[in-house]
Structure formats: C-alpha cells, structure tokens
Amino acid sequence: MAVFSAAGAPGDLDMAFNPDVAVPGGNPIYTAVPEPQGGILIGGGFHTVGGVRHPYFARLFANGALDASFNPNAGGPVRATGTLRNGKIIAAGEFTAAQGTTRNRIAQYSPEGTLDPVFDPNADGFVNGLLVQPDDRIVFNGLFTSLHGTARNRAARDNPNGTLDPQFNPGADNNVRGMALQPDGNVLLAGVFTTLGGLPRNRIARVLSDGSPDTDFNPNANGEVYCVVLQPDGKVLIGGDFTTVAGVSRTRLARLQPNGSLDPSLNVSVNGIVRWIMMQTDGKILLGGEFTTVGGVTRNRIARLLATGTLDTTFNPNANERVYCASMYADGRILIGGNFTSVGGTARNSVARLANDPANQSLAVPSPAQVQWLRGGASPETNQVTFEYSSDGESGWTLLGSAVRITGGWELAGLTLPANGLIRAGARTTGGYGNGSSVLLETVTAYSFSPIEIWRHTHFGTIANSGSAALDADPDLDGMDNLLEFAFGLDPNTPDAAELPAWEQNDDDFVLTFTSPPDAGNTTYIAEYSSSLEPESWTPIPNTSSPPHYKFYAPVRAGRRLYLRSRITP
C-alpha cells in the first residue's frame, strides 16, 4: 500500500512551487491539471510564465518551471484540457488559431505539443469544457451553436476519430457551463439554460447516453449552475449562483438525490459563486470560486467540507482573489488557478499548489482473474476506472475493461491474465473551470505468477498453497498429490493415475518416456536406479532426449535385482 503525504498541513501553500503566471487585465487561469507523466498543463488568459512569453496554453515541469519545448501556440485563452489514453491532448476555449493554423475553439496536440493536422471540430462559439468518456468519445459544452458545421446547441459529442456523433444532440437554449458523466453513460449538464431538447429544464438536467433528455430528472435551480459533480453513491453535487433548488432555499451549493430531488442532508450557505467542486475518496468536498464565507465562517475563495457536510475548520488556504479552477494529483495535492495574487498571505500569481491530507493507493493483481485498485484518504474521487495490460510497457497496452466499485476502490474480475506483465490503472476525474477539464490519473504495477500458481488457479480458483490446492493434497483421492498432477499435466479433481507415465521394458532395458506439459515451468524430472534401496545407493539416469521430451534408459543386468524410481522437483 503506497501512502502519500504532501509536505505541510492540509491547505498549506507549497512554498517550493511558484510558476509566476502573469495574467493581464484580470483574465483568469481556467485550467491547471497534472499529467500522468508528471507535467502540468495550464490554460487561460495569461501571456507569460516565469517571465517568459508563452501565451494561453503551456506545460510546466513538476517543480513549476516552464517547459519551453511544449509550444502549442494557441491564439486565445484555453478554458479546458483533456489527456487521452494515447497521450494526445485536447484543448478547448476561446481561440481561433493554433500554431498558425485555423482551429476554432478546439484543437488536438501530440504529447510533445504538435498540432494534429486532421482533428478539427470547428466550434462556432466558446467551449467551456470537455468530458472524455471511457470509450474515448469526447463531449463538449459551451456557448457554440454548431460543431463540424452541423447545428449543435451548447453540447455535442465527437467520436474518437474526431467526427461528429450524429446521435448526441441535447439542444440547450443557453450556455452549458459544466458536465458530469454517470457510470451508465448518462450525462449531467449544468449552466444557464432553461430548456433542453425543448423541455423546460432550469440550469441543471440529465441526458441519456444517446443525448435525449431524461424526462424524470428535473431539479429546477433558480440561478446559474456552474459545476456538477457525481458522488460515488450516485448523488449529485451542484455549485453556482442559485439560491433555491426545487423551490427550497439552497445558497450556491446543494446536493441532489440520484433521481434529481433535493437531498436535505446538505445545507451549507455560501456567499459567493461556487465555480468548481471536487471530492476526495474519504468523502470530503472541496469547493472554490468567488465566495468569502462558507456556513457563515470566513473562507476566502476555497474551502473544504467534511463528509458530514460541515465546514472543515482545519483547511483554509485563503486566496485573495477568485479561484476559477482546481485539480488534484493522485497523491491528494491540489492545484489551483485563477486571478489571485496571494495564497495564505504569500505572493502567488494565478497558479499555486496546496498540501493535503495523506492519500493511499494499492494496485494489485491478486489472481490471474482479478485486478484491484484500492484508493483512500485524500485521493481524488472518480467514477471512471479502466485497467490495461502490457507485456513490457513498451510494445503497447491492451484495454482489459472498465472496473466496478468495491469497498475501498475498484476491481475488474473474470480475466485470464498471462503469467506476468504490467497492469496500468487509469482513472478520470474532473478539474478546471466548471469542472470542465478531464484529468487522467495513472499508476502502473508489475506482477508475476509462477506456473504452479497459474495451474492452481485454473483448477481450484486460487493461487494459495492451502486446502485442496496445497501441493501435498490429493483432492481426487487417486494416490497422486497435486505436485505430481501438476508436473504431468493431469487433472487434480479427476482420478487419473492410469495416465501417469510408467516404466516399460524394451529388450534388455527399462525405459521411461514422456513429454512435460508446456505449463510445467521449471519442474525438474529425475530418474534413478538402485540395487539395494539404501539411501546412498541411487544412481541418476541421464535423459537421452531434450526437454520437454524425456527418455530415461535403466540398465538391466541378468540375475540382479534393480529398483527404479522417478522424482520431480517443482
């Protein structure tokens, strides 16, 4: 179990991290997200990073220094980013050009920052956010009314190859500011709209996986909803500038039941706009935006609630201006961006990093049929986890499937894994402006099973050397223990002693002939003879063939007693 603990108390400023991002005219940082390889993508209205001109979209090294080799050269502010499993990067926002080429509000780059010459969704208005689905389809939201030259009002979906999904067309009548994906493929939408697909829907709605409105989900917020986040239990957190939900007083923060009705258990008043929400696996809720009090207690632009819904009094970063966006590392550390100039009383221009409680995670392969990723503490919550396999990490990764929740984490079962290799766990969580950036978290572990463990699992469903699967057990009562059954590829659950290779007389010799099974691993086969059965009297008989083929000849002498035996060593 790996345990991470960022230096400092939760919410303390990381004093060693200071990118110094200059944002003219109060334009904000809209997105600041960690990459799986350790870099940080930032996007917004900035012009310089660390004193170097590098406008709108940049990559930082882990220590906050500018990665000058990554030069996407966006022609305007970037509001959202997403990293795909293949390493490519999606940027979306306000720009109309990238690297000197026309790209209206959406562009795709290689991991090194080279513009993709083909990918061009061509949105006709601002794109606020994007959502990468497990199948690599990408949902966009914003103010646009067409994508790929086709009418799409404020929400649309692209296929993995960059073509428009012809089916997904929610049709919002006004700005869509935030989205969240449910495990069943349904999508939650939040924003300024009052109708969706022609149905009255005030600022929060749900569409089915095909884009059609969910007619049973209608929370009815009376003001803008900037962000929407799904909890592990299916409940929904919303933040924004509303004061009622379903006609009940809720000031800028509320929780909904899975069916869209108001959850009465969360009622914390926030005195300014909530622009983003994030959840930790321990149930704590982070929120940020423009507020200065939460539950009547001073909290400047960023705060945390306990799992009970009460204010966490130990967490108080204290930003002096708006915090437009935030994202979390796998180890719980928090990136924040906005137009602030100080955090915790220390100068920080637009981007900062905060310490957090310890996070823990453990990626394990308990058996050839099962992969588990346990995550706890301050780890970021997610509702998308996939597992991949690679023999060496260099010859490509094969998607094994999407995981399901178990107590304390995620699991994928029913697999038939090779004896050894690498497993990569990938999780999608949200960050950025209105939770509009798709953050990819990844971790890799190596595993290995011995041939006997693979054999045990095949026949007994376990790799443990115990019970009926123990080496010295004989579950089928045929006089052969499991080690012997394994060595000769026999079925330990079916009496089959007659299939064991036996010595046969061949003229003047006795011969033992067999071929070892391909999954016998490093099993050693030994044949010996003795004329007295004394412990020191056994003489090895050489194999006259080449493994996996074996042929042992025992010399027979007239008038002399000879004992033969064969042994195996796993």
Side-chain angles (χ1 to χ4, degrees), residues 17 38-40 59-69 329 353:
F17 183 86
I40 300 164
R59 174 184 281 150
L60 309 178
F61 292 114
N63 62 3
L66 176 67
D67 180 355
S69 68
Y329 288 84
R353 187 162 63 197

Side-chain angles (χ1 to χ4, degrees), residues 260-292:
S261 62
L262 185 66
D263 180 352
S265 67
L266 181 67
N267 187 8
V268 178
S269 178
V270 183
N271 77 334
I273 295 173
V274 175
R275 291 186 174 270
W276 55 265
I277 299 172
M278 297 188 302
M279 285 202 67
Q280 300 178 178
T281 53
D282 59 9
K284 293 178 181 178
I285 301 167
L286 293 153
L287 57 145
E290 303 175 26
F291 52 82
T292 56

Side-chain angles (χ1 to χ4, degrees), residues 120-140:
D120 186 14
N122 187 28
D124 71 340
F126 288 179
V127 178
N128 290 324
L130 59 92
L131 186 159
V132 181
Q133 298 186 171
D135 59 7
D136 282 340
R137 289 187 294 178
I138 306 166
V139 186
F140 298 100

